[in-house]
Amino acid sequence: MAAGSVSLAGGAGETSARFGASGRRTLGVTRDDDDGRLGLRANVMHRIGTAIDVGIHGGYTRTSAGLPTRGNRGGLVASALFGLAADDSTRGYRFPDQTTEMRQRATHWLAGASAAWRPWTWLAATAVYGRDELDQREDQLAR
């Protein structure tokens, strides 16, 4: 498994920003058994005077996972018991006609804006708007 992350934060005057990125990649035992993830985040805040804060926020996440073939004929145990030995990239026993691979993918976007007004120490008004979108699919790849 390989993983890493990096973040950066700072500001100038009344503006502050924070950015972050992370990633992970895991390889499984067979070529159709792996997963990966990439995540990005950003926040920017700005203070106007002493009573108003505004900000924008965003994020993106992408995941991808390769899944071993499911079912009675294509499982790992069935292939080991009834398949043919093949010295190829799979390094194991597979049915000769097994030519499919499943891959799950998901993409997640989010974005938003916020504003806060504090006219007195005991009163605050906050407005928040956001959008969150998720796209997920499963593909069966022929090889």
Side-chain angles (χ1 to χ4, degrees):
M1 179 170 99
S5 65
V6 63
S7 63
L8 179 65
E14 299 296 319
T15 303
S16 63
R18 177 174 293 240
F19 302 98
S22 64
R24 182 189 74 226
R25 180 82 172 143
T26 305
L27 299 177
V29 176
T30 60
R31 80 164 179 240
D32 56 357
D33 179 21
D34 66 278
D35 80 318
R37 178 182 177 93
L38 170 69
L40 304 170
R41 299 279 299 170
N43 300 315
V44 177
M45 296 293 292
H46 183 74
R47 177 163 283 213
I48 301 169
T50 59
I52 299 174
D53 293 325
V54 294
I56 56 172
H57 322 282
Y60 171 78
T61 303
R62 183 187 73 205
T63 60
S64 176
L67 304 173
T69 306
R70 295 175 284 201
N72 292 334
R73 270 204 72 170
L76 187 62
V77 174
S79 293
L81 292 175
F82 307 113
L84 302 172
D87 188 19
D88 60 5
S89 63
T90 62
R91 297 287 186 242
Y93 292 85
R94 296 288 185 172
F95 283 112
D97 61 348
Q98 185 177 346
T99 59
T100 59
E101 179 182 324
M102 298 297 293
R103 178 146 305 271
Q104 287 182 340
R105 291 182 168 96
T107 305
H108 186 193
W109 287 93
L110 56 114
S114 63
W117 176 50
R118 288 176 310 285
W120 298 285
T121 57
W122 54 271
L123 178 65
T126 303
V128 177
Y129 174 79
R131 173 116 176 130
D132 192 345
E133 189 172 321
L134 176 66
D135 177 38
Q136 184 175 356
R137 67 180 186 269
E138 187 172 287
D139 299 324
Q140 187 167 357
L141 308 171
R143 290 192 176 257

